[in-house]
């Protein structure tokens, strides 16, 4: 096929097509033919485009957040691109509407405020100080550039201004607070008795016919689990650990001595001056000369950094960049830093970022260690590094061999591994090696389970790989009646007992409504009973089912109100609601009254924001492409 491709590229038509592609690259860039690289938007909001890049960034952010939040419990289906894209587009539409509304209201955020926020974010700090290196590293790993992050942060701050304004525009009136207090602070007097399942369960009469009928009607409940017995090869990094030669350890020790941990470290601050896009060379030089003269006149470096520096991250902390061992900053800066003494300020230093004035704040000498002190650590590092390299070579060889092999024995033998046999493994295996979702998915896949192929070599970690095949497939089948007889008897007793308990609860309601008191009736039937006076909605003494039911009943009108609830254990709890006392804001402590007012205001503010955003959507011209 490759030969055919080579021949076809020599034709006139092929050359014309290639020429058009080259011209397209030259004029418009590669994005002109790649999906999502063009200028077309994914959606349009009041004439403003939402670009594919914005959607991709939002999707990636959602994906990272879900993975971080749910970890191994994450359902892979939740990461489906189609689902995430739809949610991302909807979110970006809402954000775009907020930004448009904020612009109409003239809301904005200053560069200084953005810089202060960035400098105060702990994820960008090292030893409590803002670190440009950490800043760039964190943004890069999260898929942001400094520009895109700054733009997103600016929009967030503006959106928060708008939300705060909306929330602050609403307030709770005394009447609203009083009405809320009347409901939330309400108290109810309740008595209840418990009818235990066990009393009726033990009296259940069960025949052989009942057992057989239950077994026939519930056959699906009495099935053996589907299982597979697996042959597998587990390749571990520890299988490839070898003794390390002394000469290698000595070589690694010499390299470690040059490591930044054992080098002198310099803590520096700087003032960065960047030439603006619309700033000519003369104006730029004038700014540089102004800072240089202010420093020469003895001006405070930290204050000047806050006033003049274009590095928004460090300007808020006096230009402090933290420590460097000689490799954190551009070479031009590191060379200048090496020549400085503490408290000394450099001449202007030019890098790709702009012009820097650098002040050495502190120099601390690193402490060296002996070879013997580091020997065990170095041996572990070298041994692990070499073992990982050997492991990967072995895995690649095994992967090629196992792909076409009829079983795992031959490939395993080629790399010096043995084929192991598992215990029966079910689809919901929860213990052992095969509880790993990757292995379970492979074991019960069509390719492995039904077609009988070897699985792919599955990476569980950089130090552990597994390949498997099915040795035996045990289909789910009905369990003999004799094996589940006791289980069926217990289930029938539960069913009959619950029915009897519910009948007893209904009879109790009749007796109580006819005038039998809870205490008297409970004592006569040998039931336990309890009373809770003045129970509120946060009561922890009442069982949760009773608390929910009590506050769902109407207030008594002359006579108590009766009802019952069934518990998850099969007991019945028959209750009497005797009295309801409305809450009053006047009886609340000052702190609680204040908190209640804040809660009502917050809830109302949230409703205002929801209505506002819905109103923006209703009145907007939105097109999803």
């Amino acid at each position: 096929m490759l030969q055919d491709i080579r021949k076809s590229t020599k034709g006139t038509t092929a050359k014309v097509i290639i020429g058009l592609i080259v011209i397209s690259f030259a004029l418009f860039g590669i994005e002109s033919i790649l999906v999502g690289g063009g200028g077309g938007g994914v959606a349009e909001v009041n004439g403003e485009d939402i670009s594919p890049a914005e959607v991709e960034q939002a999707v990636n952010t959602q994906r990272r957040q879900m993975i971080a939040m749910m970890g191994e419990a994450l359902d892979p289906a939740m990461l489906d691109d189609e689902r995430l894209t739809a949610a991302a587009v909807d979110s970006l539409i809402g954000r775009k509407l907020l930004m448009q509304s904020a612009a109409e209201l003239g809301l904005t955020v200053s560069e200084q405020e953005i810089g202060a926020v960035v400098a105060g974010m702990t994820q960008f700090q090292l030893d409590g100080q803002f670190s440009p290196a950490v800043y760039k590293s964190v943004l890069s790993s999260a898929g942001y550039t400094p520009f895109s992050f700054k733009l997103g942060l600016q929009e967030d701050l503006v959106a928060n201004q708008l939300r705060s304004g909306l929330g602050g525009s609403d307030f709770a009136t005394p009447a609203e607070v009083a009405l809320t207090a009347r409901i939330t602070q309400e108290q109810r007097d309740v008595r209840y008795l418990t009818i235990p399942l066990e009393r009726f369960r033990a009296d259940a009469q069960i025949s052989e016919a009942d057992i057989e009928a239950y077994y026939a009607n519930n056959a699906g409940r009495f099935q053996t689990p589907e299982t597979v017995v697996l042959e597998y090869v587990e390749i571990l990094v520890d299988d490839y650990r070898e003794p390390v030669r002394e000469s290698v350890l000595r070589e690694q020790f010499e390299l470690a001595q040059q490591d930044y941990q054992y080098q002198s470290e310099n803590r520096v601050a700087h003032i960065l001056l960047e030439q603006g896009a619309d700033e000519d060379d003369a104006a730029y030089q004038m700014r540089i000369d102004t800072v240089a003269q202010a420093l020469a006149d003895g001006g405070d470096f930290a204050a000047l950094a806050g006033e003049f520096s274009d590095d928004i991250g460090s300007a808020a902390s006096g230009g402090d960049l933290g420590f460097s061992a000689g490799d954190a900053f551009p070479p031009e800066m590191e060379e200048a830093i090496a020549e400085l003494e503490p408290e000394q300020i450099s001449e202007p230093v030019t890098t790709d970022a702009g012009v820097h004035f650098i002040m050495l704040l502190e120099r601390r000498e690193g402490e060296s260690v002996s070879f013997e002190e580091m020997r065990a650590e170095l041996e572990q590092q070298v041994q692990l590094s070499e073992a990982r390299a050997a492991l990967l070579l072995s895995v690649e060889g095994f992967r090629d061999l196992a792909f076409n092999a009829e079983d795992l024995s031959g490939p395993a033998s080629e790399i010096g591994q043995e084929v192991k046999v598992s215990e029966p493994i079910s689809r919901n295996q929860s213990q052992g090696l095969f509880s790993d979702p990757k292995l379970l998915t492979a074991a019960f896949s069509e390719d492995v389970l039904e077609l009988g192929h070897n699985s792919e070599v599955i990476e569980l970690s950089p130090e552990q790989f597994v390949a498997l095949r099915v040795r035996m497939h045990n289909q789910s089948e009905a369990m003999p009646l004799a094996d589940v007889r006791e289980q069926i008897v217990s289930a029938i007793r539960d069913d009959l007992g619950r029915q009897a308990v519910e009948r007893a609860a209904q009879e109790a309601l009749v007796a109580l409504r006819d005038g039998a008191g809870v205490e008297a009736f409970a004592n006569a039937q040998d039931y336990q009973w309890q009373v809770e006076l003045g129970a509120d909605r946060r009561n922890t003494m009442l069982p949760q089912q009773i608390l929910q039911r009590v506050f769902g009943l109407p207030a008594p009108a002359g006579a108590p109100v009766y009802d019952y609830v069934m518990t998850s254990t099969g007991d019945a709890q028959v209750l009497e609601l005797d009295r309801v006392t409305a809450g009053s804001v006047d009886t609340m402590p000052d702190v609680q009254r204040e908190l209640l007012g804040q809660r009502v205001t917050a809830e109302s503010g949230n409703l205002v924001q929801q209505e506002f955003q819905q109103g923006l959507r209703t009145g907007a011209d939105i097109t999803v492409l």
Side-chain angles (χ1 to χ4, degrees), residues 14 51 79 94 129 141 162 208 217 253 258 286 346 388 426 431 450 458 476 540 605:
S51 70
L79 300 180
Q129 298 291 329
S141 64
L162 181 57
E208 188 65 28
N217 295 332
F253 176 69
Q258 302 171 22
M286 183 177 296
S346 73
R388 282 176 172 168
S426 67
Q431 295 181 337
E450 298 180 15
I458 301 164
S476 178
T540 58

Side-chain angles (χ1 to χ4, degrees), residues 539-554:
N539 186 280
T540 58
M541 302 300 294
L542 285 173
Q544 192 62 31
Q545 302 99 315
I546 290 183
L547 186 66
Q548 292 178 354
R549 188 62 187 130
V550 161
F551 279 91
L553 292 174

Side-chain angles (χ1 to χ4, degrees), residues 351-369:
T351 71
D352 291 341
V355 173
H356 309 255
F357 293 90
I358 306 168
M359 181 176 186
L360 178 61
L361 301 176
E362 178 185 351
R363 176 170 288 144
R364 61 187 184 191
E365 300 296 333
E367 297 181 1
S368 62
V369 294

